[in-house]
Short mmCIF file of all heavy atoms in Angstrom, two decimals:
data_model
loop_
_atom_site.label_atom_id
_atom_site.label_comp_id
_atom_site.label_asym_id
_atom_site.label_seq_id
_atom_site.Cartn_x
_atom_site.Cartn_y
_atom_site.Cartn_z
N VAL V 169 -12.10 0.35 17.01
CA VAL V 169 -11.38 0.60 18.32
C VAL V 169 -10.49 1.87 18.06
O VAL V 169 -10.39 2.75 19.00
CB VAL V 169 -10.52 -0.53 18.84
CG1 VAL V 169 -9.60 -0.16 19.87
CG2 VAL V 169 -11.44 -1.66 19.29
N GLU V 170 -9.77 1.86 16.99
CA GLU V 170 -8.92 3.04 16.77
C GLU V 170 -9.69 4.31 16.52
O GLU V 170 -9.26 5.50 16.84
CB GLU V 170 -7.96 2.78 15.51
CG GLU V 170 -6.94 1.72 15.86
CD GLU V 170 -6.06 1.32 14.71
OE1 GLU V 170 -6.35 1.80 13.56
OE2 GLU V 170 -5.12 0.54 14.91
N LYS V 171 -10.95 4.20 16.00
CA LYS V 171 -11.80 5.34 15.88
C LYS V 171 -12.13 5.87 17.22
O LYS V 171 -12.20 7.11 17.56
CB LYS V 171 -13.10 4.97 15.15
CG LYS V 171 -14.11 6.13 14.89
CD LYS V 171 -13.53 7.17 13.95
CE LYS V 171 -14.60 8.09 13.41
NZ LYS V 171 -15.28 8.88 14.39
N THR V 172 -12.39 5.00 18.19
CA THR V 172 -12.68 5.39 19.55
C THR V 172 -11.49 6.10 20.17
O THR V 172 -11.65 7.04 20.92
CB THR V 172 -13.06 4.18 20.43
OG1 THR V 172 -14.17 3.52 19.86
CG2 THR V 172 -13.39 4.57 21.87
N ILE V 173 -10.28 5.57 19.94
CA ILE V 173 -9.08 6.18 20.48
C ILE V 173 -8.93 7.63 19.92
O ILE V 173 -8.66 8.48 20.64
CB ILE V 173 -7.84 5.33 20.02
CG1 ILE V 173 -7.84 3.97 20.73
CG2 ILE V 173 -6.53 6.09 20.44
CD1 ILE V 173 -6.78 2.99 20.24
N VAL V 174 -9.07 7.74 18.66
CA VAL V 174 -8.93 9.08 18.05
C VAL V 174 -10.06 10.07 18.51
O VAL V 174 -9.77 11.26 18.84
CB VAL V 174 -8.97 8.95 16.52
CG1 VAL V 174 -8.92 10.33 15.80
CG2 VAL V 174 -7.73 8.23 16.05
N ASP V 175 -11.27 9.54 18.67
CA ASP V 175 -12.40 10.35 19.09
C ASP V 175 -12.14 10.83 20.56
O ASP V 175 -12.78 11.82 20.97
CB ASP V 175 -13.75 9.59 19.01
CG ASP V 175 -14.19 9.51 17.56
OD1 ASP V 175 -13.63 10.19 16.70
OD2 ASP V 175 -15.09 8.66 17.29
N SER V 176 -11.32 10.12 21.31
CA SER V 176 -11.06 10.53 22.69
C SER V 176 -10.05 11.61 22.76
O SER V 176 -9.80 12.24 23.85
CB SER V 176 -10.50 9.36 23.48
OG SER V 176 -9.22 9.05 23.15
N GLY V 177 -9.53 12.03 21.63
CA GLY V 177 -8.57 13.19 21.59
C GLY V 177 -7.10 12.77 21.45
O GLY V 177 -6.23 13.58 21.45
N ILE V 178 -6.86 11.48 21.25
CA ILE V 178 -5.47 11.00 21.00
C ILE V 178 -5.22 10.98 19.51
O ILE V 178 -6.03 10.44 18.72
CB ILE V 178 -5.26 9.55 21.61
CG1 ILE V 178 -5.48 9.59 23.14
CG2 ILE V 178 -3.86 9.06 21.25
CD1 ILE V 178 -5.38 8.22 23.77
N GLN V 179 -4.08 11.48 19.12
CA GLN V 179 -3.67 11.36 17.70
C GLN V 179 -2.90 10.08 17.55
O GLN V 179 -1.98 9.76 18.26
CB GLN V 179 -2.79 12.56 17.27
CG GLN V 179 -2.39 12.51 15.73
CD GLN V 179 -1.73 13.77 15.33
OE1 GLN V 179 -1.46 14.73 16.10
NE2 GLN V 179 -1.38 13.73 14.00
N LEU V 180 -3.33 9.31 16.57
CA LEU V 180 -2.76 7.99 16.29
C LEU V 180 -2.07 7.96 14.90
O LEU V 180 -2.68 8.24 13.88
CB LEU V 180 -3.84 6.90 16.36
CG LEU V 180 -3.42 5.44 15.95
CD1 LEU V 180 -2.30 5.01 16.95
CD2 LEU V 180 -4.61 4.56 16.10
N ILE V 181 -0.79 7.72 14.92
CA ILE V 181 0.04 7.64 13.69
C ILE V 181 0.65 6.29 13.49
O ILE V 181 1.39 5.80 14.50
CB ILE V 181 1.10 8.78 13.70
CG1 ILE V 181 0.44 10.14 13.93
CG2 ILE V 181 1.92 8.79 12.40
CD1 ILE V 181 1.48 11.25 14.19
N LYS V 182 0.53 5.68 12.42
CA LYS V 182 0.99 4.27 12.26
C LYS V 182 1.96 4.10 11.10
O LYS V 182 1.73 4.57 9.98
CB LYS V 182 -0.24 3.33 12.00
CG LYS V 182 -1.27 3.36 13.07
CD LYS V 182 -2.37 2.33 12.82
CE LYS V 182 -3.12 2.55 11.55
NZ LYS V 182 -4.37 1.71 11.44
N TYR V 183 3.14 3.53 11.40
CA TYR V 183 4.11 3.31 10.40
C TYR V 183 4.48 1.82 10.24
O TYR V 183 4.49 1.07 11.19
CB TYR V 183 5.47 4.05 10.77
CG TYR V 183 5.36 5.55 10.71
CD1 TYR V 183 5.36 6.27 11.90
CD2 TYR V 183 5.28 6.18 9.48
CE1 TYR V 183 5.27 7.71 11.85
CE2 TYR V 183 5.13 7.54 9.47
CZ TYR V 183 5.16 8.35 10.59
OH TYR V 183 5.01 9.69 10.65
N PHE V 184 4.66 1.46 8.91
CA PHE V 184 5.12 0.13 8.63
C PHE V 184 6.41 0.16 7.89
O PHE V 184 6.43 0.70 6.79
CB PHE V 184 4.07 -0.64 7.82
CG PHE V 184 4.43 -2.12 7.59
CD1 PHE V 184 4.02 -3.09 8.47
CD2 PHE V 184 5.10 -2.47 6.49
CE1 PHE V 184 4.33 -4.43 8.25
CE2 PHE V 184 5.48 -3.85 6.24
CZ PHE V 184 5.03 -4.78 7.13
N LEU V 185 7.47 -0.36 8.50
CA LEU V 185 8.81 -0.36 7.79
C LEU V 185 8.97 -1.61 6.96
O LEU V 185 8.71 -2.74 7.45
CB LEU V 185 9.90 -0.25 8.91
CG LEU V 185 10.25 1.12 9.35
CD1 LEU V 185 9.07 1.75 10.14
CD2 LEU V 185 11.52 1.13 10.17
N ASP V 186 9.32 -1.40 5.73
CA ASP V 186 9.41 -2.53 4.78
C ASP V 186 10.86 -2.65 4.15
O ASP V 186 11.41 -1.60 3.81
CB ASP V 186 8.32 -2.33 3.68
CG ASP V 186 8.11 -3.61 2.85
OD1 ASP V 186 8.39 -4.66 3.46
OD2 ASP V 186 7.62 -3.53 1.77
N VAL V 187 11.32 -3.81 4.12
CA VAL V 187 12.55 -4.09 3.34
C VAL V 187 12.30 -5.23 2.35
O VAL V 187 11.35 -5.98 2.50
CB VAL V 187 13.74 -4.52 4.26
CG1 VAL V 187 14.14 -3.34 5.15
CG2 VAL V 187 13.31 -5.75 5.09
N ASP V 188 13.11 -5.31 1.30
CA ASP V 188 12.91 -6.40 0.34
C ASP V 188 13.63 -7.66 0.87
O ASP V 188 14.36 -7.61 1.86
CB ASP V 188 13.34 -6.02 -1.07
CG ASP V 188 14.81 -5.64 -1.18
OD1 ASP V 188 15.64 -6.22 -0.44
OD2 ASP V 188 15.16 -4.84 -2.05
#
Side-chain angles (χ1 to χ4, degrees):
V169 167
E170 290 177 354
K171 182 66 163 61
T172 302
I173 293 171
V174 172
D175 287 347
S176 75
I178 297 175
Q179 184 174 1
L180 176 58
I181 305 170
K182 302 185 301 190
Y183 291 109
F184 185 89
L185 276 66
D186 196 22
V187 293
D188 63 30

